[in-house]
Amino acid sequence: MGDDVMRIATMATGGIGGFLAVKLTKSGHEVAAIARGAHLNAIRENGLTLEGAAGTEKARPWIATDKPQEVGPVDAIIFGVKGDALESAGQECKALLGPNTIVVPFLNGVEASDRLARVLPEHHVANGMAQVSTTISEPGVIRQTGAFQAFTFAERDSRPSERVDALRQAIREAGVQAPDTDDIERDLWWKFVLFSALSGVTAAARCTVGDIRSHPPLAALFRKAVSETLAIAGARGVTLPDDVEADIWSRVEAFPGDGRASTAIDLEHGRPLEIDWVSGAAARIAQEVGVDAPTHATLYALLLPYKNGRG
């Protein structure tokens, strides 16, 4: 790895992987975009396009393939797949592992790193949280809504490491926020407290953030979901700031009124839902730690008929 050029694979090259693939390729790193189908064909023909607040950016990854074995060992793997695809995608990552390769999962929920460490040798697996709103709008094109983007990640035990520093530096030099953290578990649960409520309520109620703000019973439902997840985190031994509920509500007040969680957008388009790793996970983990979470159990039940998509 000379001249600080990193060899990085995006598994897979969806909203999160595609966003970082464009940014990292443009700043001079060798990015292997793992994708398939029409999306892969479009990347091979035209490269990747990122449409966002800063206009349109285009980049042609070093390799675009559906066969990780064609790539060989890389320095880092940006692991951004849907929750249900974690095990199969994790198996495919084995062809990309060198002695010190770091695999950073950026999935919804709080279980991805533990699940990945059951598929891959644990010393390769880190833990991460993405805060960016992106989607594949058409094959080869990633669309970002809003300007906010931050990727927080660390080793599983949050100890400092050279490989985390190297990837964090590469992402920062690509113009993307990659904040330091001394407790990735805390950061992950903070996001989960917000996302599990936002996901469950906007999807189950087919509503927007503006609807939550303007209908007091919906606001009460959202707040109840937040307080349940906080209780689950506490029972798991995760320490969150005292003002987390007020902080989350102030975020909700600042969100665009037409905002919704990705779960709600997937539901509208008849796509499969990641509910087993969001509302379902909150209800399941609550049972494991002996906490009541009737709101999450109800939101999960309401969304369950749509779990496999209605496309």
Side-chain angles (χ1 to χ4, degrees):
M1 188 169 90
D3 302 323
D4 295 331
V5 171
M6 293 188 74
R7 189 165 280 189
I8 297 164
T10 50
M11 171 68 82
T13 312
I16 284 170
F19 175 90
L20 286 172
V22 170
K23 297 288 189 181
L24 290 162
T25 298
K26 283 178 70 74
S27 70
H29 298 284
E30 294 184 339
V31 176
I34 313 296
R36 60 185 177 203
H39 188 48
L40 173 59
N41 293 337
I43 298 169
R44 280 175 167 161
E45 277 184 41
N46 308 308
L48 264 170
T49 301
L50 173 63
E51 298 174 343
T56 300
E57 298 175 86
K58 288 181 180 287
R60 191 171 282 279
W62 165 60
I63 293 177
T65 182
D66 54 1
K67 297 180 178 66
Q69 57 272 26
E70 291 181 0
V71 178
V74 295
D75 299 311
I77 301 170
I78 306 293
F79 190 86
V81 302
K82 292 284 189 185
D84 291 340
L86 180 143
E87 278 79 10
S88 59
Q91 290 288 350
E92 287 194 60
C93 282
K94 289 178 177 176
L96 300 165
L97 297 178
N100 199 38
T101 305
I102 186 170
V103 186
V104 186
F106 289 117
L107 282 76
N108 288 322
V110 289
E111 300 166 291
S113 181
D114 287 343
R115 291 172 63 208
L116 202 50
R118 291 195 283 270
V119 179
L120 298 174
E122 187 175 1
H123 70 273
H124 288 295
V125 181
N127 204 350
M129 169 187 79
Q131 291 169 292
V132 65
S133 181
T134 49
T135 186
I136 300 175
S137 58
E138 61 183 272
V141 181
I142 309 296
R143 179 171 299 141
Q144 179 188 5
T145 50
F148 191 78
Q149 35 80 1
F151 295 85
T152 308
F153 56 96
E155 299 288 355
R156 280 166 54 80
D157 60 4
S158 299
R159 67 182 167 79
S161 83
E162 285 183 16
R163 62 185 189 173
V164 165
D165 289 345
L167 182 59
R168 196 179 276 147
Q169 190 62 24
I171 291 173
R172 286 174 178 167
E173 287 173 359
V176 178
Q177 292 181 353
D180 290 331
T181 178
D182 60 359
D183 189 345
I184 189 62
E185 195 79 2
R186 174 201 64 213
D187 298 342
L188 213 62
W189 274 89
W190 191 102
K191 181 188 173 183
F192 190 57
V193 172
L194 169 61
F195 187 75
S196 58
L198 195 67
S199 166
V201 174
T202 59
R206 276 63 165 178
C207 75
T208 63
V209 172
D211 295 325
I212 293 172
R213 292 196 292 250
S214 57
H215 296 284
L218 263 186
L221 182 71
F222 179 90
R223 289 176 184 272
K224 186 78 176 68
V226 165
S227 67
E228 284 180 7
T229 317
L230 275 173
I232 297 163
R236 279 277 295 257
V238 178
T239 307
L240 290 163
D242 292 338
D243 64 349
V244 66
E245 285 184 81
D247 188 16
I248 280 173
W249 188 251
S250 69
R251 299 282 178 113
V252 169
E253 290 186 314
F255 281 152
D258 61 354
R260 298 178 292 165
S262 52
T263 319
I265 296 164
D266 287 341
L267 176 70
E268 182 190 330
H269 289 104
R271 297 192 285 252
L273 306 181
E274 284 191 285
I275 52 172
D276 279 346
W277 314 110
V278 189
S279 302
R284 174 167 39 77
I285 298 169
Q287 258 187 327
E288 289 168 12
V289 296
V291 167
D292 276 340
T295 307
H296 285 298
T298 301
L299 293 170
Y300 180 62
L302 289 169
L303 293 168
L304 200 51
Y306 307 92
K307 175 183 154 178
N308 296 319
R310 292 272 175 108

